Amino acid sequence: MAAATQRTKRVIHGIRGTRDILPLEVDRWRRVERVARSVCDRYGYAEVRTPVIEREELFAKGTGESTDIVQKEMYVFTDKGGERVTLRPEATPSMVRAFVEHGLEQALPFAKIYSLGPMFRYERPQKGRYRQFHQLDVEVFGISDPAIDGEVIEMAAAFIAELGIQTAELVINSVGCTGCRPRFSQALLDALGKTVQDLCGDCQRRVKTNPLRIFDCKVQADQPIIEELPHSEDFLCDPCREHFAEVRRHLEAYGLQHRVSHRLVRGLDYYTRTTFEVLGGEVGAQNALLGGGRYDHLVKHLGGPDRPGIGFAAGLERLVLALPEETREGNVVDAFVVAMGEASWTAARLLARDLRRAGLIVLIDYEGRSSKSQMKRANRSRARWMLILGEDELAREQVTVKEMATSQQHAVGRDIVATELLKLRARQT
Ligand code: HAM
């Protein structure tokens, strides 16, 4: 019996690597989401919402068989119909699928689309790294001109700046194309020679699947060897070199400071030419706020027309962590309606309804609580005003408006109270 009671009482916890976003934090999330949508709107991106569940094959082919994501991190399972499905680990292949499947090229003036939503990767959780996390994902299809690389990177930087994150650093690189990259991969293998056997297990696997990925290695003991390796920039073919130079000219024209890092190869298979990340904020070791690049063969590779692509994804958890402290929003409740005496409750509820219809954020109590306990709760709500409705007020068709910050109060006509409060609020914010 005792054991049974204990079992029923056990609290069921959330899954490791997932998080509840609680009321005190949600303001920050809403701010990040609001700025994200507003920036996307202004740069001409249309919103797309794709399912969180997709065929496993989409990512095996899209993200790439040799990536950590596909090899180790996907939440894959067989559904009841025998289909191999997965929770999406990133948005890009889904966005490409939607673009191809629905012929968005014809439907939009520019094939610029964005999406906001949760992604799932079975990673080792730590600050800024979770198993369910959220991304703003931005993609453009069909434009090869380096002007779009410049605009996408400028938009990413503008997004970060509009959030008030000031300590961010823009890092860029070019990983070349299918023409010149094999020469670079070979140069890496030649330079490594026999030292391959001194590298970590992951790197030994990388050498076989995609030698560029060695630059992602964080193992300390491997760093002296990696530091000596050749740089991708020295192996770019002429068109790739020119493209990279053009992208940099655009960034300079926008006045965007950036650092070129030959180690920025990114952990996904589809990239060609431009890659970039914005690092920074106070998010600890996981300091990539966003990352992206060009992928000129992915659309075709996933069965679509031969169209280039470029985009980025920003991690919303990391942006929320990196927001400056003062962006926390405080007092959100406008008014708390207090009913004094039994006869006032109905009138108080109608007042709350009318104020809510007028656009104010209004709370009111239940269960006929005493005016004292209503006032206590009004204090706890941090409402701007307490609106008192008692017998006197009812008789005079008025409401007593008490400003909580100053304790000053005055009577306002019941018929004009909504307009008065809206005016006061507009003046105060
Ligand atoms: P990614 O670099 O894998 O790229 O992820 C982009 C961003 O998502 C990261 O910079 C980081 O902010 C966030 N992120 C990634 N993994 C986690 C995690 N486990 N926990 C918290 N945040 C995380 C992509 O996903 C590509 N699809 C970007 C892209 C779009 N490239 C072209 N278009």
Side-chain angles (χ1 to χ4, degrees):
M1 186 61 199
T5 319
Q6 205 130 46
R7 252 205 309 282
T8 52
K9 275 194 163 171
R10 188 171 65 87
V11 175
I12 301 170
H13 291 277
I15 293 172
R16 185 165 134 83
T18 68
R19 296 173 69 246
D20 297 311
I21 300 163
L22 299 172
L24 286 180
E25 213 188 341
V26 102
D27 276 347
R28 293 164 74 80
W29 276 83
R30 286 166 69 146
R31 181 182 159 81
V32 171
E33 287 160 1
R34 180 166 49 75
V35 175
R37 287 182 198 287
S38 155
V39 171
C40 290
D41 287 347
R42 278 177 279 144
Y43 283 75
Y45 287 79
E47 184 175 357
V48 168
R49 301 181 189 195
T50 65
V52 294
I53 187 166
E54 294 270 12
R55 286 174 214 279
E56 177 187 20
E57 184 195 356
L58 179 68
F59 301 98
K61 243 183 136 178
T63 311
E65 291 282 5
S66 81
T67 60
D68 281 358
I69 293 179
V70 171
Q71 298 242 328
K72 314 192 243 191
E73 296 169 2
M74 288 214 293
Y75 281 86
V76 187
F77 60 99
T78 307
D79 72 10
K80 289 189 176 17
E83 184 106 56
R84 289 285 289 171
V85 294
T86 181
L87 299 182
R88 61 181 181 193
E90 58 146 342
T92 308
S94 302
M95 296 289 262
V96 171
R97 182 192 54 66
F99 166 75
V100 173
E101 201 170 326
H102 306 289
L104 293 182
E105 197 166 34
Q106 263 71 51
L108 299 168
F110 287 104
K112 287 174 151 188
I113 52 177
Y114 82 94
S115 198
L116 278 164
M119 308 292 150
F120 305 83
R121 295 184 194 173
Y122 196 80
E123 293 196 79
R124 200 165 42 76
Q126 63 183 82
K127 189 179 177 190
R129 186 165 71 197
Y130 309 98
R131 290 181 175 168
Q132 176 177 335
F133 61 98
H134 298 75
Q135 285 186 340
L136 161 68
D137 186 78
V138 169
E139 312 290 355
V140 188
F141 303 111
I143 306 172
S144 309
D145 187 341
I148 193 69
D149 304 45
E151 188 187 270
V152 165
I153 297 173
E154 191 276 326
M155 168 172 159
F159 174 43
I160 299 294
E162 255 179 66
L163 288 172
I165 300 169
Q166 270 151 13
T167 51
E169 183 190 23
L170 172 62
V171 185
I172 68 162
N173 189 26
S174 173
V175 293
C177 65
T178 45
C180 57
R181 194 169 334 141
R183 278 195 298 133
F184 177 50
S185 296
Q186 190 53 51
L188 289 177
L189 295 178
D190 293 345
L192 280 168
K194 287 207 175 59
T195 55
V196 168
Q197 59 214 41
D198 302 330
L199 292 171
C200 68
D202 271 344
C203 279
Q204 301 207 13
R205 182 171 56 78
R206 290 172 178 133
V207 165
K208 295 198 188 94
T209 54
N210 182 352
L212 263 74
R213 200 58 42 79
I214 290 176
F215 289 110
D216 279 341
C217 177
K218 303 269 171 350
V219 175
Q220 267 312 316
D222 289 2
Q223 300 312 310
I225 302 174
I226 296 171
E227 281 307 314
E228 294 301 314
L229 293 175
H231 294 187
S232 54
E233 219 182 323
D234 299 328
F235 291 83
L236 296 179
C237 59
D238 287 343
C240 284
R241 186 187 310 283
E242 182 46 34
H243 187 94
F244 193 43
E246 253 319 287
V247 173
R248 296 198 60 195
R249 280 196 279 276
H250 283 288
L251 298 186
E252 272 146 31
Y254 285 122
L256 276 180
Q257 286 192 350
H258 57 274
R259 174 165 65 85
V260 177
S261 166
H262 72 278
R263 289 193 64 160
L264 186 70
V265 291
R266 313 253 316 121
L268 303 102
D269 270 355
Y270 45 68
Y271 291 115
T272 51
R273 297 190 164 170
T274 317
T275 52
F276 62 95
E277 285 190 350
V278 173
L279 311 175
E282 287 151 35
V283 289
Q286 300 305 315
N287 70 341
L289 298 175
L290 61 84
R294 177 169 275 286
Y295 47 88
D296 286 343
H297 308 295
L298 182 62
V299 179
K300 189 164 178 220
H301 187 60
L302 289 176
D306 192 2
R307 299 286 182 278
I310 179 164
F312 70 86
L316 303 194
E317 280 75 4
R318 295 186 191 176
L319 296 175
V320 166
L321 277 168
L323 278 187
E325 203 63 22
E326 66 270 23
T327 55
R328 275 182 210 277
E329 278 153 24
N331 197 356
V332 286
V333 178
D334 290 310
F336 196 108
V337 177
V338 172
M340 300 270 256
E342 231 164 273
S344 324
W345 276 104
T346 302
R349 295 209 184 281
L350 296 182
L351 173 64
R353 179 199 64 184
D354 293 347
L355 297 178
R356 286 166 176 162
R357 282 188 181 168
L360 291 150
I361 302 170
V362 180
L363 296 182
I364 184 167
D365 215 330
Y366 309 90
E367 290 160 348
R369 271 182 234 285
S370 70
S371 47
K372 197 171 154 206
S373 62
Q374 290 176 63
M375 286 180 185
K376 241 187 184 166
R377 211 190 279 265
N379 278 322
R380 196 144 36 97
S381 76
R382 294 163 63 199
R384 235 184 275 246
W385 301 288
M386 188 150 75
L387 306 182
I388 301 162
L389 209 58
E391 278 171 27
D392 284 356
E393 283 87 355
L394 279 182
R396 282 192 235 120
E397 296 189 2
Q398 289 183 331
V399 177
T400 299
V401 175
K402 177 174 174 182
E403 186 169 304
M404 304 295 269
T406 59
S407 288
Q408 282 181 352
Q409 58 182 62
H410 62 287
V412 178
R414 167 68 173 84
D415 52 343
I416 56 161
V417 65
T419 343
E420 280 296 300
L421 295 181
L422 285 169
K423 258 196 252 160
L424 281 174
R425 188 177 72 172
R427 233 179 280 149
Q428 284 179 11
T429 49

